[in-house]
Amino acid sequence: RLIEIARFRNDVPAKRKFEYTSFLYAVHSGPFFPDQNEIEEIIWRDTDEVIADLARNPDKYTATMGVVMPYFDSHRRTLGKI
């Protein structure tokens, strides 16, 4: 089951680029096979570690991540019960 955490409209008028970005939450007990053409690198980290690193090194992350992670952090205990 996927739960949409947030949706952001990312407009870049100078490039005539208009799109939405969705941030999804899911729990899956099976194998995970990411598309090698879509994902450069996967790093598994604890949520608290990611939030702390995002605060210390915001340039390592996308702007969307900076907006979504605080929201996710405030709701993750509820989400974990789903």
Side-chain angles (χ1 to χ4, degrees):
R1 178 174 172 195
L2 290 175
I3 300 165
E4 185 174 66
I5 302 296
R7 178 183 293 197
F8 299 90
R9 184 167 173 174
N10 299 318
D11 293 348
V12 185
K15 294 184 178 182
R16 300 183 59 82
K17 179 180 175 185
F18 305 94
E19 66 184 27
Y20 284 95
T21 298
S22 293
F23 189 82
L24 304 170
Y25 173 83
V27 175
H28 177 64
S29 60
F32 178 64
F33 302 104
D35 183 340
Q36 299 289 325
N37 296 315
E38 294 286 330
I39 299 173
E40 182 177 323
E41 179 181 18
I42 296 175
I43 299 171
W44 301 104
R45 291 199 178 148
D46 179 76
T47 303
D48 291 327
E49 186 179 337
V50 173
I51 291 168
D53 191 49
L54 178 62
R56 286 188 309 267
N57 303 294
D59 293 340
K60 287 175 46 179
Y61 299 88
T62 65
T64 301
M65 190 79 163
V67 172
V68 171
M69 283 308 289
Y71 178 83
F72 174 74
D73 186 38
S74 69
H75 291 83
R76 66 181 157 149
R77 285 168 186 75
T78 303
L79 290 167
K81 295 177 184 176
I82 295 172

